[in-house]
Amino acid sequence: MQRTMKAKPGASDPKRSPRTIGRLAREAGVNVETIRFYERRGLLRQPRRPDSGWRLYDDSAVWVVHYIKMGRQLGFTLAELKKLMGNVTGGRAFCASVQKAYEDKIDLMGEKIERLKTMRKELKKALLACSKRSMQGDCPIAQRCSAQVSVRVEEIRTRR
């Protein structure tokens, strides 16, 4: 007995099947739920549901998902990407807004790097001070809880 399946719209062209949400997800290298998430957040336009019931996405949907992925890899938030994509039809204005966003992100990352360098320096100082106190037997924390720490270390050793 031969099974018959309901054909998807556009399935008459064997070379190119319609771009359903599953196909879009595969082409863009994401999960179907990611597509739905982007739609709910307003980053990706959800196509109208035709009478056939299958929503079909155009080529721009693939571009949008790739753009979102690239932006996320560069450290942009979804809110920042949504704002940028609001200018996409603006031609040169879009390019200018992207360049400005890149500049702002570079500045922000520079500030974060400086904060991290400061934190690293402070951690090194704290480590050095802690190590000196420990070597001198002058560590107030170790004096207070050395018995507890010894018991805890022994518990951890016996678990292995």
Side-chain angles (χ1 to χ4, degrees), residues 13-90:
D13 181 4
K15 293 179 185 173
R16 181 166 166 104
S17 61
R19 187 178 283 117
T20 59
I21 193 168
R23 180 169 164 222
L24 171 61
R26 280 190 305 280
E27 287 180 13
V30 298
N31 188 295
V32 169
E33 289 305 313
T34 302
I35 302 293
R36 291 185 179 126
F37 177 75
Y38 291 161
E39 289 174 343
R40 285 191 305 271
R41 295 290 302 263
L43 291 156
L44 181 65
R45 186 183 53 79
Q46 187 180 62
R48 289 195 176 127
R49 189 181 297 267
D51 294 337
S52 65
W54 296 92
R55 286 190 180 114
L56 302 179
Y57 295 83
D58 59 18
D59 292 338
S60 69
V62 179
W63 179 88
V64 168
V65 176
H66 282 294
Y67 180 81
I68 294 168
K69 285 175 56 177
M70 180 192 72
R72 296 293 291 146
Q73 289 172 347
L74 292 174
F76 287 91
T77 66
L78 292 177
E80 290 168 329
L81 291 169
K82 183 177 179 180
K83 183 178 175 185
L84 280 173
M85 289 177 9
N87 300 327
V88 78
T89 57

Side-chain angles (χ1 to χ4, degrees), residues 96-153:
S97 66
V98 168
Q99 290 170 10
K100 175 73 170 113
Y102 286 170
E103 290 169 0
D104 291 348
K105 188 58 75 173
I106 289 167
D107 291 344
L108 180 65
M109 291 175 87
E111 292 168 11
K112 284 182 180 181
I113 288 168
E114 290 307 314
R115 284 195 305 269
L116 287 170
K117 283 181 179 180
T118 301
M119 287 173 59
R120 185 173 190 241
K121 185 188 258 184
E122 294 301 315
L123 279 169
K124 284 183 175 184
K125 283 184 195 176
L127 175 60
L128 182 61
C130 184
S131 296
K132 283 182 181 178
R133 288 175 127 167
S134 291
M135 288 172 45
Q136 296 168 352
D138 190 24
C139 180
I141 296 171
Q143 290 171 0
R144 288 187 190 140
C145 60
S146 62
Q148 293 172 352
V149 170
S150 300
V151 170
R152 184 75 181 126
V153 168

